Amino acid sequence: MLPGIVMQDEPLSQISLMKHLAAENVVCLTNSTVRAIKDDVVEYTDKDGNLQKIAYDTVISATGLRSDTEAAEQFRGTAAKVFTIGDANKAGKIFQCFHNAWHAVRNI
Ligand SMILES: Cc1cc2nc3c(=O)[nH]c(=O)nc-3n(C[C@H](O)[C@H](O)[C@H](O)COP(=O)(O)OP(=O)(O)OC[C@H]3O[C@@H](n4cnc5c(N)ncnc54)[C@H](O)[C@@H]3O)c2cc1C
């Protein structure tokens, strides 16, 4: 759906991955939204909103992550200070988890 792929990764990982994809002649469809996965084709709308179809052998769904805040919310009010850290706060990378944890510890 985004205008590019691996947009949030470290530059070195991104460059390396893009090289591998190019070497294998992988076509990346950006600005495209999957609408349906049928028995033999994936249907998607392209950047102009037109419905397109593409045949597939294998579908791997890797469409991103979203926080599940429900479990963490249940702890709210059970202690003077409650911190939500890591992916429960915002789905991201391990670095952000450590960063959140560090700030939580400093605020205890
Ligand atoms: C496929 C994939 C690849 C990734 N690759 C990278 C990468 O290369 N580099 C990077 O930096 N980050 C990567 N990440 C992100 C990274 O894994 C997360 O940001 C990080 O693991 C989040 O840590 P966390 O402790 O917040 O949550 P988690 O690691 O998800 O830990 C939460 C734990 O809580 C447990 N839990 C949940 N509910 C309950 C409950 N009710 N009772 C008891 N336990 C419970 C779960 O079982 C789990 O063990 C990747 C994530 C995925 C999914």
Side-chain angles (χ1 to χ4, degrees), residues 58-91:
T58 305
V59 173
I60 300 169
S61 175
T63 49
L65 299 169
R66 198 175 283 160
S67 287
D68 177 358
T69 55
E70 198 183 317
E73 281 303 317
Q74 292 174 20
F75 287 94
R76 211 161 281 288
T78 58
K81 289 184 178 180
V82 175
F83 302 95
T84 304
I85 63 169
D87 278 12
N89 179 47
K90 186 174 186 294

Side-chain angles (χ1 to χ4, degrees), residues 18 24 38 53 55 62-63 65 74 90 98:
M18 296 308 277
E24 298 293 334
K38 301 278 176 74
K53 291 179 182 178
T63 49
L65 299 169
Q74 292 174 20
K90 186 174 186 294
F98 283 113

